[in-house]
Amino acid sequence: PVVDSDEGSSFSGRRMTLSAQQVENEGGARPTRSGPIRVLIIDDDWDTLEMLSHTLRKRGMDVMTAKDGLKGIEESRRARFDVAIVDLGLPHLHGHRLGETLRTNGDRPRLIALTGDGRAEARAESERIGFDAHFVKPAPMTELIDLIERLAL
């Protein structure tokens, strides 16, 4: 189920991985991965695209970008990625349709909606399609980065 928070984001918990704290509390080792996290950001807002890609690169992630839904599909076919951050109000292809396409192409990446659309209907559609989270802009950066890192394990 989608849970709303006062910070403007909501999460779908059905695909969430264990947090590092949960693993430590259960006495297990923290999960690790080999290589950098690969993130595809698809957003038509230049400022959002630049700020987010810069921040994630500083965290050591490999970042690919696209300015619309069709270019997002092209980029997803060119390179593998772990997590896609998708704006819903994209030109040429709505973000929900893009999410459906990405889900059916190959590796089934983890999906995060990052949008100005906080309506209950948009959140429900994100969950129905299989988005792992639905953030309303402006997203709390720390929460977004933590989620990307958990989803990519």
Side-chain angles (χ1 to χ4, degrees):
V2 173
V3 178
D4 295 327
S5 77
D6 293 332
E7 287 81 35
S9 58
S10 62
F11 302 92
S12 174
R14 68 175 184 218
R15 289 195 217 320
M16 298 296 284
T17 57
L18 289 176
S19 71
Q21 185 64 42
Q22 289 170 312
V23 171
E24 288 174 20
N25 289 343
E26 293 177 14
R30 183 179 178 139
T32 59
R33 60 173 285 120
S34 62
I37 297 170
R38 296 171 312 273
V39 181
L40 173 60
I41 306 169
I42 307 154
D43 199 310
D44 62 329
D45 179 69
W46 179 257
D47 291 332
T48 300
L49 201 61
E50 283 300 303
M51 182 271 309
L52 190 53
S53 63
H54 176 77
T55 301
L56 297 180
R57 284 183 181 118
K58 282 179 60 175
R59 297 286 300 226
M61 298 181 197
D62 284 344
V63 179
M64 299 152 278
T65 61
K67 295 271 297 165
D68 65 56
L70 296 178
K71 297 233 184 283
I73 291 172
E74 289 174 22
E75 193 65 34
S76 74
R77 290 180 178 151
R78 232 188 332 266
R80 293 183 57 171
F81 58 94
D82 303 303
V83 178
I85 300 172
V86 180
D87 182 18
L88 298 184
L90 293 168
H92 310 297
L93 182 65
H94 189 275
H96 282 142
R97 302 300 70 82
L98 174 59
E100 288 175 325
T101 301
L102 294 175
R103 277 279 185 216
T104 60
N105 286 348
D107 299 327
R108 297 187 52 84
R110 307 311 284 265
L111 300 174
I112 299 172
L114 178 62
T115 180
D117 191 350
R119 296 173 304 124
E121 296 85 7
R123 289 182 168 135
E125 182 70 357
S126 291
E127 183 176 19
R128 184 192 70 74
I129 290 166
F131 276 78
D132 297 283
H134 184 120
F135 281 93
V136 174
K137 293 178 183 176
M141 191 57 64
T142 302
E143 287 181 39
L144 182 59
I145 291 169
D146 288 347
L147 179 62
I148 292 166
E149 290 173 345
R150 286 194 318 264
L151 291 176
L153 290 178

